[in-house]
Amino acid sequence: MDALSLFGLAAVSFTLLCYAKEAGSHWWTLGFAFGCVLGSIYGFLQGAWPFGVVELIWTVVSFRRWLKLRQAAPSAVEPLA
């Protein structure tokens, strides 16, 4: 297995992990977006540009979802006492 294939395997595995954990925290959604960027880079480097384009679209979708989730999450407030 060459370095590019290992990179692709790591990128897709990271994306899958973040997808599985997404319900736990909005930070996993951001991780998913980052994994999509890595998957897109892999797709373009491999020469599979349709895969790279779709992963870029998933990056935008998941990053927008992260922004919405982050705004909806209650902010940590320091206690008054």
Side-chain angles (χ1 to χ4, degrees):
M1 186 176 288
D2 62 352
L4 183 58
S5 295
L6 284 173
F7 173 72
L9 178 62
V12 174
S13 297
F14 177 74
T15 305
L16 179 63
L17 171 69
C18 291
Y19 179 76
K21 297 281 198 172
E22 233 178 346
S25 170
H26 64 90
W27 293 109
W28 288 109
T29 305
L30 183 61
F32 181 80
F34 181 67
C36 289
V37 168
L38 296 177
S40 180
I41 291 169
Y42 168 70
F44 285 118
L45 288 175
Q46 184 194 34
W49 66 266
F51 181 80
V53 169
V54 169
E55 286 293 314
L56 274 180
I57 293 168
W58 269 116
T59 300
V60 172
V61 169
S62 57
F63 186 74
R64 291 183 69 196
R65 187 172 1 135
W66 175 73
L67 288 174
K68 287 181 183 179
L69 288 171
R70 192 182 75 149
Q71 290 172 353
S75 60
V77 179
E78 291 187 32
L80 297 174

